[in-house]
Amino acid sequence: MIAKIQKFISSTEFSNALKVTIAAVSPVLLFSYLDNFQIGFTIALGAFFTFPSDIPSNLKHKINGLLVTSFIIAGVNLIINLCYPLPWLFYPVLLLLVFGVSMILVYGQRATMVSFSALLSLSLAFAHLNSGWEMLQYSGLLLLGGLFYTLISIIFFHIKPNRYVELQMAECMRLTAKYLKLRGDLWELNSDRKAITKKQLHFQVELNVLHENIREILVTSRTKSGSSSQNRKMLLSFISLVEVLELAMATSFDHNKLHQKFDGYPRALQTYQNLAYNLAKSLKLLSKSIEDGKAYESRHNLIEDLQQFESTIKDYKKNIQTESSSEEVLMLITMLHYAEKQVEKIITLERAYTNNINPKDLKGRDKDIEKFIKPQYYPLSTFVENLSFSSTVFRHSLRITITILLGYMIGKVLPLENVYWIILTIVVIMKQGFGLTNERTYHRIFGTLVGGVIAFGILSVVHDSYVISTIAIVAMLLGFSFNPTNYKIGATFITIYVILIYGILAPDNGNVIEYRILDTIVGATLCLLANYLLWPSWEFLNLPEYIKNAIEANRNYLKEISTLYNKKGEVPTEYRLARKQAFIEIGNLMASFQRMLQEPKSKQNKLPQVYKLTVLNHSLLSSIASLGTYIQSHKTTEASKAFNVVVDKVIENLEFAMNILEKQHFDSNTIASNEDLDKRLTELKNIRAKELKQIKLIDEEAYQIKMQEAQLVIEQLIWMTNLSENIVKTAQILMTVTPKNETVYNTSL
């Protein structure tokens, strides 16, 4: 229990909550002491509005983002107050303001949070409307609050400048360890491989997000500040983690076939599974040591595990000396080489946290690394290009604009206490996807009800304003801590905080919870109806694009591998960029599929085909990466004509599938005949069979190297061909019939 509390207190979420709590509570306490509570409360609101845009980044981007947010929230409040007395001006300005602020979502994560901060400021502007000089004074105090929060954030950054990236690295290690653990689970004889694959895809989505966050901070920090010992350590750790994941994905085995082959010698697979589990345990222990801030001590001797597996292979070769056993030995050797590479990378990680890192340790692995992050660039053309119904952001902006207008008008017509709470509920709950909006609606209502009961229970027992204030501050701190990871609990604590503050400011206002619940229900209902009726962004409308992007990324990755196999030499930056993009697009596809599962059953069109295409693309990426990893780590022979014919056919199949998903009309006769492909595959199989028969002494190094290349390359080519053909067939089924309830907004799909 104590360990969990310590972990919670050391988390990034708690640190962020502490920042906003200090920035919001300090001015209230100071100006309350000076008998001017309202000024302190307004400054606190400015800090509160600025807080959401404080996303992890390097210091320059952090400061710029917070300053822009501070001026925007003050400007939005001023515009609302200026226009409110003039209805003929107010309503058009309100619509344009909400729409414009919502549209900046097209510029990425930071812009999304700036937009959210601006909408928060807009919604609460109706809670305290001003006129004359007070308008400027109020907006100025909001700006001051934003600037004060910026100062607090900078101070926290300098106190522990590397803590965030350390925790992100620890989380990345933890998730990678879980991924490796699942690979170990696959070796169970009766394991549910479909369920394990689904979990692996889920972890890959989370890892993609973590990789992007860590990459931006490390690379940008390196570019701006140069290469420090700490930066080198983190960079080496990150590159090693990416390589561990790539290697895990790149090395796939036919588990059913292996179990059949080694039924008579189960020790081989059991020894390997134990090694696989220890790889995961080592990463998990390293992750925990980083979280706890303690020195890392290895508990698993991975070298001994490797030696034990190698000894098992030797025993197998000694005990089973038949011609048919040569292929099994090659399989075991392939497994051994995979394990050796993983052990090497994990030992590199362990060294990074037990020894000093020198620039030579990176060995050029950080070459052109700045090309792997997206530049901070906000062109007006991006905004203009999204002003059409083909853009999900455009439809979302229209949707939230109309919903806020309806919420405001309903609040004016009905005898509701606080109109702004309806608008605030809409701003907080409404997201681009129906599933996430639905989930947040449930969590917010739950949090409001439970938090209300707890808060009124506290007010009925505790009457001392200082004690109530202390509880309110603690509730605020916990609310902001849980909000990013568990919105239900976060909403509960924030409700407690709001009601306790009301209890101090207006002790006789006992019906505040009734109005808050009613306003929340009205706002949540409007969100659900709007997301369902107003140009809904159902995932099945976007999935063909995500699938096409994944196929295209796999195609580009395969092209780079083919070039490398033909030309040999050093791995170019273009290869690594293509690999990164392939991983990202598969993650995006899986994330889209997960969002689809949150939507109504009636909107989950062609779900089996979508899932099949997701798994097929993931398997194809694994196969392509397997070939790429082998080429990088082995001296390969000259690429044969058969190799290039098969690769070209796989690329052609992928391009065919992309055309199907784009609904392009084409002549099926233009698709090349499979006759040459079949001939080349037969040729490859014959070569392999001939070499298998020729092997007499399997432990001869030259034969082993040749056989391993023949086995891996040929099997992967055959596997890629089958996968690409299945992708084409499944894409045809997916796009054959347009569902009756489908409304097409993007004609390019």
Side-chain angles (χ1 to χ4, degrees):
M1 184 66 181
I2 294 175
K4 287 184 178 179
I5 293 173
Q6 288 176 337
K7 182 179 178 180
F8 174 72
I9 291 174
S10 66
S11 68
T12 304
E13 290 77 17
F14 184 83
S15 177
N16 290 337
L18 190 59
K19 283 190 287 187
V20 70
T21 302
I22 292 172
V25 170
S26 300
V28 171
L29 293 178
L30 175 62
F31 284 93
S32 294
Y33 176 76
L34 298 174
D35 201 25
N36 206 328
F37 169 82
Q38 193 59 47
I39 290 178
F41 187 72
T42 307
I43 294 172
L45 280 178
F48 170 72
F49 293 153
T50 306
F51 161 66
S53 65
D54 188 12
I55 65 173
S57 61
N58 66 76
L59 186 59
K60 180 182 177 181
H61 290 161
K62 179 189 286 287
I63 293 173
N64 289 343
L66 292 175
L67 289 177
V68 168
T69 305
S70 301
F71 281 97
I72 286 178
I73 62 172
V76 165
N77 182 273
L78 183 61
I79 291 170
I80 292 294
N81 279 273
L82 283 170
C83 299
Y84 186 77
L86 306 169
W88 60 270
L89 180 62
F90 169 71
Y91 285 100
V93 168
L94 176 65
L95 293 176
L96 287 173
L97 197 58
V98 174
F99 179 77
V101 165
S102 302
M103 275 296 295
I104 65 175
L105 268 66
V106 298
Y107 293 115
Q109 184 188 10
R110 187 182 301 280
T112 298
M113 301 316 297
V114 172
S115 171
F116 179 66
S117 294
L119 290 173
L120 281 178
S121 177
L122 182 145
S123 60
L124 287 177
F126 295 103
H128 195 87
L129 293 163
N130 299 286
S131 59
W133 171 250
E134 289 182 351
M135 288 189 297
L136 288 173
Q137 185 184 31
Y138 193 87
S139 296
L141 290 174
L142 288 178
L143 174 60
L144 182 61
L147 297 177
F148 180 59
Y149 176 83
T150 302
L151 177 63
I152 296 294
S153 183
I154 293 170
I155 292 171
F156 267 72
F157 182 89
H158 284 291
I159 291 173
K160 286 188 175 181
N162 299 310
R163 186 56 181 163
Y164 171 78
V165 73
E166 285 176 351
L167 290 175
Q168 289 284 284
M169 197 74 75
E171 179 68 5
C172 188
M173 289 179 187
R174 188 181 68 82
L175 289 180
T176 306
K178 284 188 173 184
Y179 192 94
L180 294 181
K181 167 68 167 54
L182 287 172
R183 284 183 58 85
D185 292 342
L186 285 169
W187 291 100
E188 292 294 332
L189 182 58
N190 298 313
S191 60
D192 186 348
R193 296 194 176 97
K194 286 187 178 179
I196 292 172
T197 300
K198 186 176 278 191
K199 287 180 182 177
Q200 285 180 318
L201 286 168
H202 174 73
F203 284 136
Q204 191 181 333
V205 173
E206 293 188 51
L207 282 165
N208 278 351
V209 175
L210 278 172
H211 287 171
E212 283 299 296
N213 288 344
I214 297 170
R215 187 180 284 114
E216 181 186 350
I217 294 173
L218 287 181
V219 177
T220 309
S221 174
R222 181 184 177 89
T223 304
K224 301 290 182 185
S225 309
S227 177
S228 64
S229 176
Q230 176 71 10
N231 185 272
R232 283 195 297 270
K233 178 172 80 171
M234 290 295 175
L235 197 56
L236 179 64
S237 302
F238 173 65
I239 292 171
S240 297
L241 280 171
V242 172
E243 290 173 347
V244 165
L245 180 64
E246 182 200 15
L247 193 54
M249 284 188 63
T251 313
S252 55
F253 302 103
D254 188 337
H255 296 87
N256 289 326
K257 183 178 178 181
L258 282 164
H259 277 293
Q260 291 171 5
K261 296 264 186 194
F262 295 101
D263 272 348
Y265 199 78
R267 180 171 164 243
L269 300 188
Q270 289 169 2
T271 308
Y272 180 79
Q273 185 183 41
N274 180 64
L275 172 56
Y277 280 146
N278 284 344
L279 289 170
K281 287 176 184 176
S282 297
L283 269 185
K284 186 177 179 182
L285 282 171
L286 186 54
S287 166
K288 194 172 186 311
S289 73
I290 295 170
E291 284 181 348
D292 297 341
K294 297 178 180 177
Y296 172 70
E297 293 181 10
S298 177
R299 297 182 190 175
H300 303 285
N301 193 324
L302 297 176
I303 299 296
E304 283 186 7
D305 292 334
L306 268 179
Q307 290 171 346
Q308 188 175 356
F309 184 52
E310 196 170 6
S311 174
T312 302
I313 297 173
K314 288 179 181 177
D315 290 344
Y316 178 81
K317 287 160 61 177
K318 191 182 297 181
N319 296 333
I320 305 176
Q321 292 183 351
T322 64
E323 282 193 20
S324 61
S325 68
S326 58
E327 186 173 4
E328 285 87 331
V329 172
L330 282 172
M331 290 178 176
L332 291 176
I333 291 172
T334 299
M335 292 160 62
L336 175 64
H337 286 175
Y338 161 75
E340 285 173 343
K341 291 170 200 164
Q342 287 292 42
V343 168
E344 178 189 339
K345 294 182 188 311
I346 290 176
I347 288 176
T348 300
L349 274 167
E350 291 177 336
R351 282 183 55 245
Y353 289 91
T354 53
N355 301 308
N356 291 326
I357 299 298
N358 295 319
K360 292 181 181 179
D361 291 323
L362 286 167
K363 297 178 183 177
R365 293 155 79 188
D366 57 342
K367 181 184 176 184
D368 294 332
I369 198 165
E370 66 280 352
K371 293 182 180 179
F372 288 78
I373 62 169
K374 295 178 181 178
Q376 298 286 331
Y377 180 48
Y378 306 105
L380 181 61
S381 58
T382 302
F383 188 94
V384 175
E385 287 168 4
N386 279 271
L387 293 175
S388 71
F389 276 93
S390 63
S391 167
T392 55
V393 174
F394 178 80
R395 300 204 300 274
H396 170 72
S397 300
L398 279 180
R399 193 182 309 122
I400 196 170
T401 301
I402 293 171
T403 309
I404 286 177
L405 180 63
L406 287 173
Y408 178 79
M409 294 175 70
I410 289 171
K412 284 293 185 180
V413 172
L414 298 179
L416 298 176
E417 183 77 8
N418 296 312
V419 177
Y420 72 87
W421 202 266
I422 297 176
I423 301 174
L424 182 63
T425 300
I426 293 168
V427 169
V428 171
I429 288 178
M430 183 170 273
K431 303 298 175 187
Q432 289 190 55
F434 179 87
L436 186 56
T437 299
N438 190 35
E439 183 182 88
R440 288 178 77 90
T441 298
Y442 164 70
H443 288 167
R444 185 166 177 81
I445 292 174
F446 174 89
T448 300
L449 292 173
V450 174
V453 171
I454 294 172
F456 276 104
I458 293 171
L459 289 174
S460 65
V461 175
V462 181
H463 302 288
D464 187 295
S465 60
Y466 290 104
V467 176
I468 295 172
S469 298
T470 302
I471 297 172
I473 291 170
V474 172
M476 179 185 182
L477 180 61
L478 292 175
F480 284 119
S481 297
F482 282 107
N483 218 41
T485 55
N486 193 322
Y487 185 68
K488 188 192 298 183
I489 296 176
T492 301
F493 279 114
I494 289 175
T495 299
I496 293 171
Y497 158 72
V498 170
I499 293 174
L500 292 182
I501 292 297
Y502 266 103
I504 297 170
L505 299 179
D508 299 327
N509 194 4
N511 61 351
V512 62
I513 186 61
E514 298 174 15
Y515 284 114
R516 174 164 181 180
I517 291 173
L518 183 58
D519 292 339
T520 298
I521 292 173
V522 170
T525 303
L526 284 173
C527 286
L528 290 175
L529 289 174
N531 262 22
Y532 199 91
L533 300 174
L534 299 178
W535 312 287
S537 296
W538 303 119
E539 280 302 320
F540 74 83
L541 296 173
N542 306 317
L543 269 164
E545 184 69 17
Y546 283 113
I547 296 169
K548 183 185 80 66
N549 289 342
I551 294 172
E552 184 177 14
N554 274 334
R555 180 204 64 181
N556 294 340
Y557 187 18
L558 180 57
K559 280 183 175 181
E560 290 296 331
I561 287 174
S562 178
T563 301
L564 182 63
Y565 193 52
N566 278 274
K567 293 184 177 179
K568 314 300 181 187
E570 188 179 345
V571 177
T573 302
E574 290 74 16
Y575 171 93
R576 293 187 291 150
L577 287 170
R579 179 185 63 189
K580 173 204 166 190
Q581 196 60 33
F583 276 72
I584 289 173
E585 293 300 345
I586 293 294
N588 290 342
L589 174 56
M590 187 58 195
S592 179
F593 175 75
Q594 289 173 342
R595 290 193 296 269
M596 188 180 186
L597 291 177
Q598 295 178 312
E599 295 178 347
K601 295 288 185 183
S602 61
K603 303 301 178 183
Q604 295 178 7
N605 294 318
K606 304 286 184 71
L607 192 65
Q609 287 78 23
V610 169
Y611 180 66
K612 186 175 180 181
L613 279 167
T614 303
V615 174
L616 283 170
N617 274 286
H618 181 265
S619 300
L620 181 62
L621 174 59
S622 176
S623 180
I624 295 170
S626 179
L627 189 58
T629 302
Y630 183 85
I631 292 168
Q632 289 179 72
S633 56
H634 294 79
K635 186 177 180 181
T636 56
T637 58
E638 185 178 350
S640 64
K641 183 179 178 183
F643 171 87
N644 289 319
V645 168
V646 175
V647 168
D648 288 344
K649 182 57 186 178
V650 172
I651 291 172
E652 185 181 344
N653 283 341
L654 296 180
E655 290 174 346
F656 188 16
M658 288 162 58
N659 289 337
I660 293 170
L661 292 164
E662 289 176 340
K663 294 184 178 177
Q664 291 183 3
H665 297 287
F666 52 85
D667 184 358
S668 59
N669 293 326
T670 60
I671 304 303
S673 169
N674 284 337
E675 185 178 343
D676 189 34
L677 174 69
D678 294 337
K679 178 183 174 183
R680 297 301 178 181
L681 287 176
T682 303
E683 181 184 331
L684 287 170
K685 291 176 184 176
N686 289 339
I687 292 171
R688 181 186 171 199
K690 182 180 177 182
E691 290 182 339
L692 280 170
K693 289 177 182 177
Q694 287 177 345
I695 292 179
K696 302 298 181 185
L697 300 173
I698 192 65
D699 57 345
E700 289 186 10
E701 187 178 354
Y703 272 121
Q704 285 188 9
I705 293 172
K706 188 176 181 182
M707 278 305 307
Q708 190 180 12
E709 180 179 355
Q711 183 191 39
L712 188 140
V713 173
I714 294 169
E715 282 195 354
Q716 293 304 333
L717 288 175
I718 294 169
W719 181 229
M720 279 191 277
T721 304
N722 292 334
L723 287 170
S724 66
E725 289 173 351
N726 278 327
I727 287 173
V728 170
K729 291 174 185 175
T730 311
Q732 286 174 327
I733 296 171
L734 181 73
M735 304 303 289
T736 298
V737 181
T738 302
K740 293 180 181 179
N741 57 354
E742 179 177 349
T743 305
V744 179
Y745 298 108
N746 188 349
T747 55
S748 67
L749 298 183

